[in-house]
Amino acid sequence: MVTKQLNGSDDADLLRADSLAREIFSDVANKWALLIIETVGDRTRRFTELRDDIEGISHKMLTQNLRMLERNGLLDRTAHPTVPPRVDYTLTEAGHGLRATVDGMCDWTHRFLGHIENSRRRFDAPVNG
């Protein structure tokens, strides 16, 4: 990640930022984390809503990803002292920033969908000869 020659007193800060960036990218670069961020969106969502709206995610996987997103400051979790328990999730400012990036990636996918599909067909086609 660090692209310039390091020198001076800011070296440690640059290396720490680089290490943190790699760690966060590793955490959020999975299909569940991105789907959770997109599903929460601009609203406050309950755990059960997220589980019902994200097709294929297990209770365990949703819990693990919500905890990771909360740990990284992308989600706020609010537990309400009710019976049965109610927990709400909302994106933080940082979470909204990441969501804008995810939206950009989705826009890119839609823009180049035909190109990507054609490239895959050509690549996967058997070679004659």
Side-chain angles (χ1 to χ4, degrees), residues 44-47 66 70 75-82 85-91:
T44 297
R45 302 296 301 267
R46 294 177 70 174
F47 181 93
L66 288 169
E70 182 184 8
L75 280 180
D76 280 331
R77 177 184 186 272
T78 305
H80 301 277
T82 60
R86 187 179 116 209
V87 180
D88 295 329
Y89 296 91
T90 56
L91 292 179

Side-chain angles (χ1 to χ4, degrees), residues 32-47 49-51 53-54 62 65-66 69 74-77 88-92 95-96 99:
W32 298 124
L34 297 178
L35 284 171
I36 291 167
I37 289 167
E38 192 62 27
T39 302
V40 172
D42 292 327
R43 302 182 319 177
T44 297
R45 302 296 301 267
R46 294 177 70 174
F47 181 93
E49 289 178 304
L50 292 170
R51 190 187 63 222
D53 289 349
I54 301 173
L62 179 57
N65 276 273
L66 288 169
L69 293 168
L74 302 172
L75 280 180
D76 280 331
R77 177 184 186 272
D88 295 329
Y89 296 91
T90 56
L91 292 179
T92 62
H96 282 288
R99 182 173 178 237

Side-chain angles (χ1 to χ4, degrees), residues 50-115:
L50 292 170
R51 190 187 63 222
D52 292 346
D53 289 349
I54 301 173
E55 186 177 332
I57 195 166
S58 68
H59 185 97
K60 178 182 176 182
M61 193 56 60
L62 179 57
T63 299
Q64 287 176 349
N65 276 273
L66 288 169
R67 287 180 181 162
M68 175 272 298
L69 293 168
E70 182 184 8
R71 178 178 183 264
N72 283 312
L74 302 172
L75 280 180
D76 280 331
R77 177 184 186 272
T78 305
H80 301 277
T82 60
V83 177
R86 187 179 116 209
V87 180
D88 295 329
Y89 296 91
T90 56
L91 292 179
T92 62
E93 182 181 352
H96 282 288
L98 181 56
R99 182 173 178 237
T101 301
V102 171
D103 288 347
M105 292 169 58
C106 290
D107 292 344
W108 173 86
T109 303
H110 290 125
R111 182 175 173 204
F112 290 101
L113 181 63
H115 171 79

